């Protein structure tokens, strides 16, 4: 089975406070530490476990981003993916969800697949739109919020998280699944994996390779316009007190005042 | 009045709580139609009317519950292309995101996601969406035609104004290829006490509680206050608590009268799910924890010491 995993590079959510550049109205990505999206690591882990179980699958990681996004792909290769594809082109800068999905879908078509694995949402964009759009553009079904999965005889079965519990679902491949956050514990790449990753192949694609036009991608093709950026309304500063043994009583007093006790 | 459609997921025979929030808001902005597909659609339509929908388009076949978004999009895409509502609203929720994303790709249209506000401008709509930690963007969609917008739960308040709606029953065309998915079972994972998303009081715990057993204190305080239990993603990921209790950007959005955060650092993704609470109280042993920037009352201290005392105070004070 050929498994493709869509992974994204994002500013490290553990060390970077996400800020918008007022001039470009885009997320500040320069001069910050970028990492493989933690959500994408979970999706990749799910794919690697699936491939390990059946023993004859390959895992290809696909990313759209700047040249530097190759670092995120290398990390994914170090975790155990077999090879990678990087879609990079100045014309793709500022792409909205649909333009991103078009570039990914065109690349995925080139590569070929049985199963596509995404995360449910990215850490920086968190639109949650790209997986469903990619699936629709490829004319295949998709299942979101998948927390466990298995493939037997070309049919995927799994559990899908819903509001009050979960559904058991099944679908014949080809299919796209979006993996629920926290459902798989990503492995830490071993030194051997990091060394091996340096020799693994990363194929590059640009707009022309994919038969896409610059005027319909990136900033030029964006379908959303930001008119204004406003600061978020801050809450009024509250009272912060060191617990000297009366902390609980102070909380209780406030709860009484609010009529909760 | 512009025609506004609200795609309404159905939970337990009624439009989902967030769908009722959207219908209430849509009724302020224009003439509202609730889109209800699935087994329980007919019954849900009358509730949509109570919250302000003037019309409901109902396709009450179980195919939609069985085959999920691809089947829904077949019917919805045909309706939207034919009737071209000015605005089509979805909730940022499980099934709605799947439907909205496929629909946008099929119709080759842009979307605004995570909206927390919508204004009508006369010839279109402007949406507010949180961007980054400190800014809210005001944005619009540039293509003419139906504007597709996904709204976060609790952005608006659902109000039952007691109206009724005119129901139109339809039978959409679902392509064979769109029935590939099958839902074979639905399992409810039990939760006790009030539903987290609608509870007036929420007591949440994070990694600072140290281990899953200490969550007993959170459960006890929540029960004593008649509230619901919430959790940070760190403890859901660690397997201490079920996903249904996760509060935040990727979990449940809550807007209670009182939110008590215990051993939670206050990451932006957690705040996204609870900063609308009227009163926020936090217990954290780190005076620099970001949560303290968003509280009405913050206790710098050990949650494992404060919680038992607080439970005593609450039980004694009833
Ligand atoms: C894309 C994305 C989506 C996310 N979505 C969500 C989401 O929906 N919800 C969510 O919650 N998070 C979400 N997160 C994760 C979020 O960034 C944080 O990692 C998470 O909220 C941290 O959980 P925590 O506060 O329990 O743990 P920590 O950050 O580890 O904080 C523990 C806190 O406990 C305090 N503490 C320790 N011991 C004690 C004690 N004895 N008494 C009192 N305090 C103590 C510490 O000082 C610390 O502040 C998301 C992250 C990403 C990248
Ligand atoms: N630029 C990208 N490159 C590769 N995959 C992406 C990209 N953007 C989004 N995805 C995939 O789509 C998922 C959801 O992203 P989003 O729609 O941005 O929330 C991500 O977790 C990835 O799996």
């Amino acid at each position: 089975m050929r498994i493709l995993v869509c992974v994204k590079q994002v500013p490290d959510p553990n060390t970077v406070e996400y800020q918008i550049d007022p001039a470009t109205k885009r997320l500040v990505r320069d001069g910050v530490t970028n990492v493989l999206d933690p959500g994408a690591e979970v999706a990749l882990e799910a794919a690697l476990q699936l491939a390990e179980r059946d023993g004859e699958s390959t895992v290809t990681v696909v990313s759209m981003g700047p040249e530097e996004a190759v670092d995120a792909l290398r990390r994914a290769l170090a975790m155990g993916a077999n090879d990678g594809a990087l879609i990079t082109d100045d014309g793709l800068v500022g792409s909205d969800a649909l333009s991103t999905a078009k570039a990914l879908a065109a690349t995925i078509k080139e590569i070929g697949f049985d199963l596509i694995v995404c995360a449910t949402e990215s850490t920086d964009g968190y639109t949650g739109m790209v997986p469903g759009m990619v699936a629709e553009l490829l004319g295949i079904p998709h299942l979101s919020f998948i927390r466990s999965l298995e493939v037997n005889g070309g049919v995927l079965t799994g559990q899908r998280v819903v509001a009050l519990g979960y559904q058991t679902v099944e679908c014949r491949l080809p299919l796209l699944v979006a993996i629920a956050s926290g459902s798989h514990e990503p492995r830490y790449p071993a030194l051997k994996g990091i060394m091996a990753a340096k020799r693994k192949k990363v194929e590059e694609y640009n707009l022309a390779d994919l038969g896409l036009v610059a005027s319909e991608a990136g900033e030029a093709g964006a379908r959303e316009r930001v008119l204004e950026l406003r600061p978020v309304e801050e809450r009024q500063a509250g009272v912060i007190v060191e617990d000297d043994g009366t902390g609980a009583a102070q909380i209780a007093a406030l709860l009484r005042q609010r009529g909760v006790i | 009045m512009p025609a506004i459609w609200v795609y309404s997921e159905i939970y337990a025979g009624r439009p989902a709580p967030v769908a009722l929030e959207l219908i209430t808001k849509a009724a302020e902005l224009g003439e509202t139609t609730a889109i209800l597909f699935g087994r329980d659609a007919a019954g849900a339509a009358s509730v949509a009317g109570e919250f302000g929908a003037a019309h409901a388009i109902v396709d009450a076949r179980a195919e939609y519950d069985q085959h999920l978004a691809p089947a829904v999009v077949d019917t919805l895409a045909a309706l939207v292309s034919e009737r071209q509502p000015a605005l089509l609203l979805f909730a940022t929720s499980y099934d709605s995101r799947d439907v909205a994303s496929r629909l946008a790709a099929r119709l080759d249209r842009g979307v605004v996601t995570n909206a927390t506000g919508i204004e009508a401008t006369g010839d279109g709509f402007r949406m507010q969406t949180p961007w980054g930690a400190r800014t809210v963007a005001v944005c619009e969609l540039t293509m003419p035609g139906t504007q597709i917008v996904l709204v976060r739960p609790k952005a608006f308040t659902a109000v039952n104004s007691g109206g009724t709606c005119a129901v139109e029953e339809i039978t959409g065309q679902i392509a064979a290829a769109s029935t590939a998915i099958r839902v074979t079972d639905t399992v409810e994972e039990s939760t006790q006490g009030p539903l987290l998303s609608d509870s007036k009081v929420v007591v949440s715990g994070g990694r600072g509680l140290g281990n899953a057993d200490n969550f007993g204190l959170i459960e006890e305080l929540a029960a004593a206050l008649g509230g619901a239990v919430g959790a940070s993603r760190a403890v859901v990921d660690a397997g201490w608590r079920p996903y249904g209790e996760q509060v935040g950007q990727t979990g449940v959005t809550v807007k209670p009268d009182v939110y008590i955060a215990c051993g939670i650092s206050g990451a932006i993704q957690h705040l996204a799910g609870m900063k609308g609470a009227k009163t926020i109280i936090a217990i954290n042993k780190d005076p620099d924890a970001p949560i303290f920037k968003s509280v009405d009352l913050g206790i710098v201290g050990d949650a494992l010491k404060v919680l038992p005392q607080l439970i005593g105070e609450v039980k004694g004070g009833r």
Side-chain angles (χ1 to χ4, degrees), chain B residues 79-102:
Chain B
L79 278 174
V80 171
S81 303
E82 182 197 313
R83 307 193 192 178
Q84 309 207 4
L87 181 63
L88 172 55
L89 298 178
F90 291 91
T92 306
S93 66
Y94 301 86
D95 294 346
S96 297
R97 287 218 293 204
D98 291 348
V99 173
S101 57
R102 294 193 79 102

Side-chain angles (χ1 to χ4, degrees), chain B residues 238-257:
Chain B
W240 300 0
R241 302 302 298 182
Y243 175 75
E245 289 180 5
Q246 180 173 318
V247 172
Q249 179 184 305
T250 35
V252 178
T253 304
V254 299
K255 208 171 182 176
D257 291 340

Side-chain angles (χ1 to χ4, degrees), chain A residues 13-14 18 37-39 121-124 126 181, chain B residues 152 205-210 231-235 237 240 243 246-252 259 262-273 283-291 299-305:
Chain A
N14 292 313
Y18 283 24
D37 190 334
E121 62 181 30
S122 62
T123 295
D124 57 349
Y126 66 97
S181 71
Chain B
R152 289 201 66 87
R207 188 144 51 190
L209 291 173
S232 73
R233 175 155 139 191
V235 306
D237 284 0
W240 300 0
Y243 175 75
Q246 180 173 318
V247 172
Q249 179 184 305
T250 35
V252 178
Y259 188 87
C262 310
I264 292 179
S265 58
I268 179 89
Q269 297 92 352
H270 188 81
L271 294 173
I283 310 167
N284 194 305
K285 70 175 183 192
D286 174 6
D288 297 323
I291 188 85
I299 304 295
V300 181
D302 184 349
L304 301 179
K305 281 206 193 116

Side-chain angles (χ1 to χ4, degrees), chain A:
Chain A
M1 180 168 50
R2 174 139 217 189
I3 307 174
L4 298 195
V5 186
C6 297
V7 303
K8 192 176 181 187
Q9 188 184 50
V10 301
D12 183 358
N14 292 313
T15 61
V16 180
E17 185 181 331
Y18 283 24
Q19 304 272 15
I20 305 300
D21 180 336
T24 61
K25 300 200 174 80
R26 285 202 296 267
L27 189 66
V28 177
R29 293 174 197 275
D30 292 340
V32 304
T33 315
N34 290 303
V35 295
L36 175 60
D37 190 334
E41 284 190 2
V42 175
L44 175 59
E45 180 62 39
L48 291 172
Q49 287 181 17
L50 204 58
E52 280 159 5
R53 258 177 294 172
D54 86 358
E56 48 197 42
S57 292
T58 58
V59 175
T60 300
V61 281
V62 184
S63 189
M64 184 190 105
E67 286 281 354
E68 302 79 65
V70 76
D71 295 341
L73 287 173
R74 291 275 169 227
R75 167 97 186 176
L77 295 172
M79 282 175 69
N82 299 86
D83 54 7
L86 177 64
I87 313 159
T88 191
D89 194 302
D90 287 345
L92 286 166
V93 177
S95 288
D96 61 12
L98 188 52
S99 296
T100 303
K102 284 182 179 178
L104 287 169
T107 310
I108 289 168
K109 222 183 236 167
E110 280 283 312
I111 300 173
F113 65 95
D114 299 295
L115 177 67
I116 304 169
V117 181
C118 291
T120 293
E121 62 181 30
S122 62
T123 295
D124 57 349
Y126 66 97
T127 73
M129 291 291 106
V130 170
M133 287 173 166
V134 168
E136 177 67 30
L137 292 167
L138 292 168
I140 59 169
H142 85 286
L143 285 164
S144 61
F145 280 96
I146 293 295
R147 70 174 186 193
S148 66
L149 66 166
E150 226 178 293
V151 178
N152 290 306
V155 176
L156 181 139
T157 51
Q159 289 185 358
R160 173 172 186 261
V161 181
V162 292
L164 301 175
Y166 67 91
Q167 297 173 325
T168 54
V169 289
E170 62 176 48
C171 188
R172 177 162 290 282
L173 304 185
L175 170 69
L176 183 150
V177 289
I179 303 293
S181 71
S183 62
H184 294 76
E185 180 64 31
R187 65 195 66 190
Y188 205 79
L191 186 61
K192 205 168 127 228
I194 296 170
M195 298 311 290
K198 294 189 176 141
R199 294 188 303 275
K200 289 179 178 171
K201 217 169 104 196
V202 174
E203 191 93 45
E204 278 204 18
Y205 295 85
N206 60 26
L207 280 174
D209 296 334
L210 300 172
L212 298 173
V213 238
S215 63
E216 289 170 18
E219 192 91 76
R223 299 162 187 84
E224 184 184 345
R225 183 184 317 142
V226 176
L227 302 163
E228 189 193 336
L229 289 172
R230 296 180 189 160
V232 292
E233 282 174 35
E234 304 278 352
R235 285 180 85 93
Q236 284 219 321
V239 180
I240 316 284
V241 290
E242 189 87 33
D243 181 33
D244 55 0
T246 64
Q250 297 191 45
I251 296 176
L254 180 60
L255 292 177
R256 271 186 212 103
Q257 206 184 318
R258 297 288 191 269
V260 178
I261 303 183

